[in-house]
């Protein structure tokens, strides 16, 4: 995918996808961040089905701010290198990487 097309897709619907870009003032590295939804049920609102007693509906859960792994744009085919998945804050991870860079230089 061309870079301009990738940037447009990456930054479209960010409230739904959770994608964002951070440029480090320390290293000059640009980080593309994409939260991945691993499909765990996180429904907080809905209707209780009287027959099954299970929560149904998607009230308030339409924009979870993440994408399914199969829909990820961050992959080698799109020109990304040094791809990392982890739990926790992406901004904390970027800060950690910047501190490692500072300590080496």
């Amino acid at each position: 995918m061309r870079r301009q097309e990738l940037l447009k897709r990456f930054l479209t619907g960010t409230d739904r996808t959770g994608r964002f870009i951070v440029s480090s003032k320390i290293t000059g590295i640009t980080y593309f961040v994409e939260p991945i939804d691993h499909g765990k049920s996180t429904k907080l609102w809905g209707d209780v089905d009287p027959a099954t007693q299970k929560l149904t509906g998607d009230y308030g859960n339409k924009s979870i701010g993440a994408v399914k792994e199969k829909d990820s744009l961050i992959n080698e085919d799109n020109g990304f290198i040094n791809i990392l998945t982890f739990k926790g804050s992406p901004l904390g991870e970027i800060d950690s990487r910047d501190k490692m860079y500072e300590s080496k230089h």
Side-chain angles (χ1 to χ4, degrees), residues 56-68:
T56 62
D58 286 327
Y59 314 106
N61 294 299
K62 290 179 177 55
S63 297
I64 62 169
V67 297
K68 299 286 184 192

Side-chain angles (χ1 to χ4, degrees), residues 4-64:
Q4 286 299 85
E5 182 183 343
L6 176 67
L7 282 171
K8 182 179 179 185
R9 282 190 62 200
F10 198 85
L11 295 174
T12 298
T14 56
D15 56 336
R16 180 180 44 79
T17 65
R19 294 178 179 127
F20 64 97
I21 299 172
V22 175
S23 292
S24 169
K25 302 270 188 230
I26 296 169
T27 63
I29 294 172
T30 300
Y31 296 92
F32 285 68
V33 179
E34 184 179 58
I36 301 295
D37 171 15
H38 292 289
K40 296 187 174 118
S41 176
T42 58
K43 282 188 181 182
L44 301 174
W45 300 94
D47 297 317
V48 176
D49 182 324
T52 64
Q53 297 301 310
K54 292 186 179 180
L55 195 60
T56 62
D58 286 327
Y59 314 106
N61 294 299
K62 290 179 177 55
S63 297
I64 62 169

Side-chain angles (χ1 to χ4, degrees), residues 33-102:
V33 179
E34 184 179 58
I36 301 295
D37 171 15
H38 292 289
K40 296 187 174 118
S41 176
T42 58
K43 282 188 181 182
L44 301 174
W45 300 94
D47 297 317
V48 176
D49 182 324
T52 64
Q53 297 301 310
K54 292 186 179 180
L55 195 60
T56 62
D58 286 327
Y59 314 106
N61 294 299
K62 290 179 177 55
S63 297
I64 62 169
V67 297
K68 299 286 184 192
E69 195 163 3
K70 67 179 179 57
D71 298 325
S72 175
L73 294 176
I74 298 176
N75 56 57
E76 290 178 359
D77 291 343
N78 285 334
F80 289 96
I81 56 171
N82 206 9
I83 300 168
L84 175 67
T85 56
F86 59 91
K87 291 184 180 186
S89 167
L91 298 177
E93 180 65 25
I94 291 168
D95 187 51
S96 259
R97 288 178 177 214
D98 281 354
K99 286 179 180 169
M100 283 185 352
Y101 175 84
E102 280 183 313

